[in-house]
Amino acid sequence: MYGQTPFIVNLNTSKPQLYNKLLQVEITGENTYNLSFDFNELGTNQLITYDSNVISNYNSNKTSFSKEFKIDEEVNTSFLNFSLKKNNKFNIGEKYFIQFVSFDGTVGANRSISVSDITNGSSMLQLSKDGTNKNRIVDYLNTTVFILDKDKQEQKILYAKRTKEYIEVLFTKVEDSLKRIEEELGVYKEKNNIYDLSEEGSVIFDQTIDLEKEKKGILEFNDYLNNLRSYISSHDSFGENVHCACFNIYSRYENCRRNIYSYTEI
């Protein structure tokens, strides 16, 4: 009976197994068993490879097979490839039977699973199934939930990877586009003498302030010269306290001229 044996069958699904044949497992020791069965009388037997779900033929000159194996020892033949893992106490003399049946038939027999919401609007589902073997149903439902969860996780990971790749490609395209626009804008600005007001506007403002200061200084100096000329014109003699500031005329003029030239260039 499924789920009530003191061992679990570890099947090598990539290799062939004797198809639809009853295999007798007789417990012979604490960690040993005897595997025996009869071949078909005509000598032609069928094998199934579960990974590829392929049925093939096997011809045998023998009529029966019987051999003792240890727990966890690999049964490695042309027609059987599996091992038994002990999960409970062995009772010497007890006999069990193993049969490898159709993959499609086993799947088809377990299609009738009922699915329902636990509560309205809930994201949780309830799975239920009817059958005569409770242990088989429990294992089947638990495995179904595990596979569904694993598949969902793989889908989420794949979605995240594809989203990340899409965003990276999109950012690369946008970055390249911005670089191209920036280069084109730079060429256009240089060609048409257009400047960045945020940077060069502050420079123009500072130079304007300097020009205003220079202008004020020149006007004040011009007033001084006018006063000096009036004083000279109205006096025939001068004392020692009269001072002339003519040595600043040229330097102030030159500074003003350079600032005006820089301003007009900008």
Side-chain angles (χ1 to χ4, degrees), residues 1-264:
M1 182 69 71
Y2 180 91
Q4 297 181 5
T5 59
F7 57 82
I8 298 174
V9 179
N10 289 327
L11 196 62
N12 188 338
T13 57
S14 64
K15 294 185 178 181
Q17 316 293 339
L18 199 59
Y19 178 61
N20 211 22
K21 177 71 68 175
L22 282 177
L23 311 176
Q24 178 179 281
V25 175
E26 182 179 357
I27 306 302
T28 59
E30 185 177 352
N31 292 299
T32 59
Y33 65 93
N34 181 268
L35 178 66
S36 62
F37 61 89
D38 294 329
F39 286 106
N40 292 337
E41 294 181 0
L42 298 177
T44 301
N45 302 269
Q46 287 187 315
L47 306 177
I48 182 170
T49 303
Y50 285 108
D51 276 359
S52 57
N53 197 24
V54 172
I55 303 293
S56 59
N57 293 324
Y58 174 75
N59 295 320
S60 174
N61 296 326
K62 298 180 179 180
T63 58
S64 63
F65 176 89
S66 179
K67 186 177 179 180
E68 187 168 286
F69 294 92
K70 295 180 180 180
I71 289 298
D72 296 324
E73 180 183 356
E74 184 75 23
V75 179
N76 190 3
T77 67
S78 301
F79 46 85
L80 287 173
N81 296 275
F82 67 90
S83 64
L84 298 186
K85 181 180 180 180
K86 185 177 179 180
N87 66 349
N88 212 331
K89 181 181 178 180
F90 274 10
N91 295 318
I92 298 175
E94 286 187 349
K95 296 179 181 180
Y96 302 90
F97 292 90
I98 301 172
Q99 186 178 33
F100 300 119
V101 296
S102 168
F103 176 83
D104 294 334
T106 302
V107 173
N110 290 280
R111 286 180 177 174
S112 56
I113 297 180
S114 299
V115 182
S116 60
D117 294 332
I118 295 179
T119 57
N120 292 332
S122 173
S123 60
M124 299 182 66
L125 301 176
Q126 178 176 292
L127 305 180
S128 60
K129 188 180 186 307
D130 296 330
T132 58
N133 191 313
K134 181 179 179 180
N135 293 324
R136 185 191 295 272
I137 294 174
V138 169
D139 284 351
Y140 183 79
L141 292 178
N142 287 337
T143 303
T144 300
V145 172
F146 173 78
I147 295 299
L148 289 175
D149 181 66
K150 181 180 178 181
D151 183 65
K152 194 67 176 178
Q153 293 295 329
E154 291 177 351
Q155 289 180 5
K156 289 181 179 179
I157 293 173
L158 181 61
Y159 177 79
K161 287 182 177 179
R162 288 180 175 176
T163 302
K164 179 177 178 293
E165 292 173 355
Y166 172 76
I167 292 174
E168 289 178 349
V169 171
L170 185 62
F171 278 171
T172 301
K173 290 182 178 180
V174 172
E175 183 179 9
D176 293 341
S177 178
L178 290 175
K179 287 182 179 179
R180 186 176 66 256
I181 293 174
E182 185 178 1
E183 292 174 355
E184 293 175 353
L185 184 60
V187 173
Y188 179 80
K189 288 169 61 178
E190 182 178 356
K191 182 178 180 181
N192 295 275
N193 294 324
I194 299 175
Y195 299 92
D196 187 357
L197 295 179
S198 62
E199 295 182 1
E200 299 181 20
S202 61
V203 176
I204 295 174
F205 178 78
D206 292 340
Q207 292 185 353
T208 302
I209 296 299
D210 292 338
L211 287 173
E212 289 293 334
K213 291 180 180 179
E214 292 289 340
K215 177 182 177 181
K216 182 179 179 182
I218 292 174
L219 291 176
E220 291 176 351
F221 191 71
N222 185 62
D223 291 340
Y224 168 78
L225 292 178
N226 288 331
N227 292 332
L228 181 61
R229 182 175 62 181
S230 298
Y231 177 82
I232 294 172
S233 298
S234 61
H235 292 76
D236 295 331
S237 61
F238 309 98
E240 294 180 355
N241 294 328
V242 178
H243 299 283
C244 181
C246 292
F247 62 92
N248 284 327
I249 296 176
Y250 180 77
S251 60
R252 290 192 177 190
Y253 169 75
E254 284 298 315
N255 288 336
C256 183
R257 186 179 63 85
R258 283 196 296 267
N259 288 334
I260 294 173
Y261 178 75
S262 297
Y263 179 79
T264 55

